[in-house]
Amino acid sequence: MSLKRLSLLVALSSVVACGKNVCSVDGMGADGGTEVGQRVYFEFDRPKPGQKAALNADQKELAKATADAVKSSKDMIIAEGHCDRMGSDEYNDALGERRADAVKKSLIDNGVAADRVEVRSMGKRAQPNPNANTPEEDALNRVVIVKRMAARG
């Protein structure tokens, strides 16, 4: 299944599950942040260590839609990188950061002020789909979720 199709299916199912899950499309996150835009999904173990953190065309399209949704706001934006259950905590922390960095770069390239975007790696400790037991379910955890945090002040 393509990443674009997976993103669309998850977005549609997230809207349906909005009342059941802690975090859904444009729903409140556990830390009080509001999820905005589209989730950006990644292939297994991508990007590799030392690899330039770049998005493919479908991922760039999703990140651009998210940038368009947040660039006029004054709120802080957090790109949270998540990973599946395979690999060590240390490896997945670094992988989640590489994924979030790639989305951050795309948000900035699409007009979001760099000083408003933070990166957070959730590794495999805080998975969006914590009960994943199949390769298809694991794919839902290889994602960057963008959250909007209310501006202070």
Side-chain angles (χ1 to χ4, degrees), residues 9-132:
L9 290 173
V10 171
L12 293 174
S13 67
S14 294
V15 171
V16 172
C18 185
K20 300 177 198 170
N21 292 340
V22 173
C23 204
S24 64
V25 172
D26 209 22
M28 290 299 284
D31 60 0
T34 303
E35 186 175 335
V36 293
Q38 296 292 318
R39 292 179 176 195
V40 179
Y41 290 89
F42 289 80
E43 296 291 335
F44 177 75
D45 201 27
R46 295 288 188 263
K48 292 274 193 191
Q51 204 177 39
K52 182 179 176 191
L55 301 181
N56 67 33
D58 291 340
Q59 293 167 320
K60 285 180 183 178
E61 185 179 322
L62 294 170
K64 182 183 182 318
T66 300
D68 290 344
V70 300
K71 66 183 164 189
S72 64
S73 165
K74 300 280 187 227
D75 295 337
M76 287 300 300
I77 305 302
I78 298 173
E80 286 186 349
H82 297 266
C83 300
D84 62 27
R85 58 194 159 99
M86 275 76 76
S88 69
D89 286 341
E90 182 179 273
Y91 185 84
N92 281 308
D93 286 344
L95 179 58
E97 187 169 347
R98 288 191 303 275
R99 290 173 175 168
D101 280 338
V103 171
K104 175 183 178 177
K105 181 184 180 317
S106 187
L107 292 173
I108 293 166
D109 290 348
N110 283 288
V112 178
D115 63 347
R116 289 185 42 228
V117 185
E118 294 181 10
V119 169
R120 179 184 302 161
S121 177
M122 305 307 286
K124 65 180 184 179
R125 290 180 303 278
Q127 297 175 326
N129 187 25
N131 299 317

Side-chain angles (χ1 to χ4, degrees), residues 1 6 42-44 84-86 129 131-142:
M1 178 179 305
L6 176 64
F42 289 80
E43 296 291 335
F44 177 75
D84 62 27
R85 58 194 159 99
M86 275 76 76
N129 187 25
N131 299 317
N133 289 311
T134 66
E136 294 79 14
E137 292 170 337
D138 283 330
L140 299 176
N141 288 324
R142 296 190 291 266

